[in-house]
Amino acid sequence: MSDPYSNLAAQEIELQERIADAMEARCLEPAQVAIRKAYLSNLDLPPDAKALELGSGTGHVTRDLIKVAGAASAHGIEPSPVMVARANRDFGDDPRLSFSQGDAKATGLPDSSVDMVLLHTLLCHVPGPQDVLTEVHRILKPGGVLAICDGDYDTATAQIADFDPLDQLVRFMIDQNVTNLWIMRQITGLLTQVGFDLGPSTGHGYVAEGEAGYFLTVIDRGADRMVEDGLLFSETGAALKEEARRRVAENRFFGFMSYVSQIARKPADG
Ligand SMILES: C[S@@+](CC[C@H](N)C(=O)[O-])C[C@H]1O[C@@H](n2cnc3c(N)ncnc32)[C@H](O)[C@@H]1O
């Protein structure tokens, strides 16, 4: 099975729900909240700014467009009906927020109609990311802002010593769940090709803290996938999951990944 996030709507409902739980766990971790705050504050949006998140998942990050970036309204577009239902369940009461099913490559929105677009951990899952950037360029107003943030996935690790078997689960999970590991190392070239002006680029170190909620979902999904693929016996998968939990309980767990954010603008005369 290739990256399930690249075609989430086609996956079993149970898998979509499991991925939604993992996304929610990640969104709520204080270290992840801090990363979003670091690159979404100070974007200098107009007072009545209309913002859009493509690949909006459970909607937590879409809400940041209002809470952190200061947009007046925000809409999330997302192909998975499970995600859209969760976003509507959790945030549907706020009249400034809305969500719909759709594709980042063909939003159906008019030309030059939004002030800001956010792509938070979307592009690593999309085959042909330049098609998304071309669509964003079309729908942004001249001078509009594009904010992108994604993992620098080759840095993901749970390794605490040489030959640590837990690290293999993390690497396997990333290999099986990310379409382009190198997207943030290629992003400036892609943005320039599409016609964006480049703004600040920032690295953000993410260290799993406390209960390591999100990192445990990575370990668990890596172990389960190895068992499904017949690479591990189920008892071995369960033992590795237990190893991760013991490390958390005994304050010996380490989980890390770098994220990179990139701000860009559609030229004012574009
Ligand atoms: C890792 S999740 C990130 C969700 C959210 N941005 C967050 O950070 O919590 C990636 C999301 O992108 C969505 N996605 C994948 N391909 C897409 C496409 N072509 N257009 C729009 N969304 C897409 C997936 O369904 C998934 O919900």
Side-chain angles (χ1 to χ4, degrees), residues 32 121 219 249:
Q32 291 281 340
T121 64
I219 302 270

Side-chain angles (χ1 to χ4, degrees), residues 5 8 23 26-27 53 55 57 61 78-79 103-104 120-122 125:
Y5 290 80
L8 205 48
M23 262 186 225
R26 187 181 71 170
C27 286
E53 184 186 10
V61 178
E78 160 64 47
D103 182 354
H120 188 87
T121 64
L122 166 70
H125 297 296

Side-chain angles (χ1 to χ4, degrees), residues 4-9 19 23-24 26-27 36 53-62 77-80 83 102-105 118-127 132 153:
Y5 290 80
S6 68
N7 193 3
L8 205 48
I19 287 178
M23 262 186 225
E24 238 161 47
R26 187 181 71 170
C27 286
R36 303 199 300 271
E53 184 186 10
L54 299 177
S56 48
T58 55
H60 291 78
V61 178
T62 317
I77 292 184
E78 160 64 47
S80 157
M83 299 293 165
D103 182 354
K105 291 183 182 178
L118 172 62
L119 311 175
H120 188 87
T121 64
L122 166 70
L123 286 182
C124 69
H125 297 296
V126 181
V132 175
Y153 293 93

